[in-house]
Amino acid sequence: MKETEIQVLKKQHPLLNNLISLQEIFWVNPNIESFQTAIKKSPLTQVDVKDAEDRLQRFAPYIKKAFPETEKSDGIIESPLVNIPSMKKSLERTYEQKIFGELLLKCDSHLPISGSIKARGGIYEVLKTAESLALQHGMITIDEDYSILHSDKFRHFFSQFSIAVGSTGNLGLSIGIISAQLGFKVTVHMSADAKQWKKDLLRSKQVEVIEYEADYSKAVEEGRLQAANDPTCHFIDDENSHDLFLGYAVAASRLSKQLEALHVKVDQEHPLFVYLPCGVGGGPGGVAFGLKLMFQDNVHCFFAEPTHSPCMLLGLMTGLHDHISVQDVGIDNITAADGLAVGRASGFVGQTIEPFLSGNYTVSDEQLYLLLKELLDTENIFLEPSALAGMIGPVKLCNEKTDYILRQNLTEKMQNATHIIWGTGGSMVPKEEMELYIQTGSILASRN
């Protein structure tokens, strides 16, 4: 992008200067629309999400058999929703900011099988691919008990086909684990940001890992090119996949049931605010889309990104979506939040979610480490750095300088609000790595 073009963008969007200078910012989406207006423009609908939900239900007997840790949930891959009152008090004290309403944590960090939000979309797309191949070749019918897929017969069948994906880490983990279990040949193209332990874990499951010195976009590009030359290979395209998006969207109906169990209301008088860490956009985009289908204008979704990798915010703010990268404006895309280290957002997700999204904000790596330690100290819950991006969202939203609450006429309703922080990963982090994260948080805390 030419310097003259960047200067024009800066004049059109003054907040862009703050973004480029790596300041933490809170951006309210000027293009948000009412749910009824926005859904008419959407390429995806409730029917698509219901189809994904039904497919996951069909696969539940297989999941239960192949992954015994899902036995208690009858093969449904789901995570707890927990109240974190001590963390709320700590946030209010640390940032000297009242958080109106209740604070909950959605622990996708503890999802079965691969321990991150990617266990939703990533596993779903692999299962859909497996079902399609098995139906196409007359191996199953849609009414059969899918637990029969957990057999040498089906592993041999799927070994004729391959799955490929480009990833910064967690998506590669989820796809590698489920694909290898089914019997597929799997290749994960890993960017420079990916942690070594994630590569090692994949290789221990006979997954081929190809490493790149470049960032996420290069890993995806190379993976896409290699898969294009192999008719037996299905490439899971994190930048453009509708199936990934729909797998994430299924989370909303399940969350609704969890809220009911906790006696949490979501209606016009009881607003719900959800804060979602964002990389390329598929995970948070899918979850947010599902939530809007479920709760419509009573839910307010915010994306959270590292100050060094704010690709979705940059694309939304400028309206350029995937036609601009953080590197184009001089941001380095280097962050400790490896799952969010993406320089160019998904154009499909950005354009699909734009009319539904309330806003987007950025958070520094230092804050992520401090929040990591704070959550561990107050609630004894460990998340990896990228998963803490959502945690500061309620502080930023409730700040008197933020006019979103006023714009949406929510001032009188905030005492009845519920805030959900989406914890996207962490339970599979090795102990040594975890201790390094905690140590970094401790060092930073001692300096403050």
Side-chain angles (χ1 to χ4, degrees):
M1 181 166 279
K2 295 176 183 175
E3 183 59 34
T4 51
E5 294 174 302
I6 294 169
Q7 292 306 321
V8 169
L9 288 173
K10 285 180 177 180
K11 285 180 182 177
Q12 292 173 337
H13 311 282
L15 202 57
L16 183 57
N17 292 286
N18 303 66
L19 193 74
I20 292 169
S21 62
L22 307 178
Q23 294 177 43
E24 289 191 356
I25 67 170
F26 188 94
W27 175 79
V28 174
N29 181 12
N31 298 318
I32 190 172
E33 300 176 21
S34 71
F35 173 79
Q36 294 300 338
T37 304
I39 196 63
K40 290 173 185 174
K41 303 174 183 177
S42 175
L44 299 171
T45 67
Q46 180 70 61
V47 174
D48 298 308
V49 178
K50 181 65 168 61
D51 178 57
E53 193 168 3
D54 290 346
R55 183 168 290 105
L56 287 169
Q57 194 64 54
R58 289 198 294 276
F59 269 99
Y62 166 77
I63 295 293
K64 183 178 177 180
K65 198 170 180 180
F67 299 95
E69 63 267 38
T70 66
E71 197 165 323
K72 285 184 181 177
S73 61
D74 280 330
I76 296 298
I77 303 167
E78 198 42 75
S79 69
L81 176 67
V82 299
N83 209 320
I84 48 171
S86 297
M87 184 62 179
K88 181 191 173 191
K89 287 177 185 173
S90 183
L91 288 169
E92 290 178 324
R93 185 170 57 251
T94 301
Y95 297 99
E96 299 179 342
Q97 173 62 56
K98 171 75 175 168
I99 295 173
F100 305 104
E102 295 298 309
L103 186 64
L104 304 176
L105 178 67
K106 179 59 174 162
C107 300
D108 270 10
S109 48
H110 292 71
L111 276 170
I113 303 177
S114 66
S116 83
I117 190 174
K118 304 300 184 179
R120 297 187 184 280
I123 287 176
Y124 172 72
E125 182 157 349
V126 174
L127 294 179
K128 185 180 179 186
T129 303
E131 181 186 58
S132 178
L133 288 168
L135 288 169
Q136 185 184 328
H137 288 80
M139 299 286 288
I140 57 167
T141 65
I142 209 161
D143 300 315
E144 276 188 86
D145 179 347
Y146 278 23
S147 66
I148 62 171
L149 274 72
H150 186 55
S151 65
D152 290 339
K153 173 187 172 183
F154 276 90
R155 276 188 283 272
H156 176 72
F157 169 68
F158 290 126
S159 71
Q160 303 170 79
F161 306 95
S162 56
I163 303 281
V165 67
S167 174
T168 60
N170 284 344
L171 182 64
L173 270 187
S174 67
I175 286 167
I177 290 169
I178 187 66
S179 299
Q181 178 66 251
L182 280 159
F184 286 105
K185 295 169 187 168
V186 204
T187 304
V188 178
H189 299 263
M190 288 279 205
S191 65
D193 319 279
K195 301 296 183 188
Q196 188 60 46
W197 70 266
K198 295 180 183 180
K199 300 172 193 173
D200 294 342
L201 179 57
L202 283 169
R203 287 180 175 131
S204 75
K205 296 183 181 295
Q206 283 69 59
V207 173
E208 182 182 7
V209 177
I210 300 176
E211 301 180 51
Y212 298 87
E213 291 183 9
D215 73 0
Y216 165 86
S217 296
K218 182 65 176 174
V220 173
E221 181 187 342
E222 288 298 321
R224 191 184 286 124
L225 282 171
Q226 289 191 28
N229 297 320
D230 182 357
T232 67
C233 181
H234 176 75
F235 180 68
I236 296 180
D237 192 337
D238 199 12
E239 294 179 338
N240 301 298
S241 173
H242 287 203
D243 289 331
L244 280 178
F245 190 87
L246 292 169
Y248 296 120
V250 172
S253 62
R254 297 175 180 179
L255 179 75
S256 176
K257 295 182 182 74
Q258 290 180 317
L259 287 169
E260 284 177 24
L262 293 173
H263 307 291
V264 174
K265 288 183 181 179
V266 180
D267 56 31
Q268 201 168 4
E269 297 303 314
H270 299 80
L272 174 64
F273 298 89
V274 183
Y275 309 88
L276 297 139
C278 180
V280 74
V287 171
F289 180 73
L291 289 169
K292 293 301 283 191
L293 287 171
M294 181 62 57
F295 300 114
Q296 301 191 8
D297 294 327
N298 299 319
V299 65
H300 308 265
C301 298
F302 293 87
F303 287 173
E305 297 180 281
T307 52
H308 284 256
S309 301
C311 65
M312 183 61 75
L313 178 46
L314 179 63
L316 288 166
M317 183 190 291
T318 61
L320 294 173
H321 297 290
D322 58 334
H323 294 292
I324 190 169
S325 73
V326 300
Q327 291 93 335
D328 287 339
V329 296
I331 301 175
D332 60 14
N333 191 35
I334 298 172
T335 172
D338 59 316
L340 312 181
V342 179
R344 189 184 303 273
S346 163
F348 152 63
V349 174
Q351 291 170 71
T352 300
I353 206 65
E354 184 174 29
F356 299 100
L357 189 69
S358 294
N360 197 322
Y361 64 88
T362 58
V363 56
S364 70
D365 281 13
E366 179 179 342
Q367 292 278 18
L368 295 178
Y369 281 118
L370 289 168
L371 290 163
L372 182 154
K373 182 180 183 299
E374 211 166 336
L375 182 64
L376 191 64
D377 289 346
T378 57
E379 304 285 354
N380 198 30
I381 297 173
F382 176 83
L383 301 182
E384 61 188 355
S386 59
L388 272 303
M391 190 61 74
I392 201 161
V395 173
K396 290 181 178 287
L397 177 74
C398 294
N399 189 300
E400 60 187 21
K401 295 174 188 172
T402 305
D403 64 355
Y404 181 82
I405 292 170
L406 288 171
R407 282 194 204 181
Q408 297 291 317
N409 297 313
L410 294 168
T411 307
E412 302 301 318
K413 303 171 183 179
M414 290 307 292
Q415 294 298 340
N416 303 324
T418 302
H419 303 270
I420 295 179
I421 312 302
W422 214 277
T424 48
S427 64
M428 292 186 75
V429 175
K431 188 178 178 183
E432 312 78 55
E433 192 92 7
M434 188 187 301
E435 286 171 352
L436 284 174
Y437 290 152
I438 297 165
Q439 185 181 11
T440 303
S442 298
I443 292 168
L444 290 169
S446 68
R447 292 176 185 167
N448 285 358

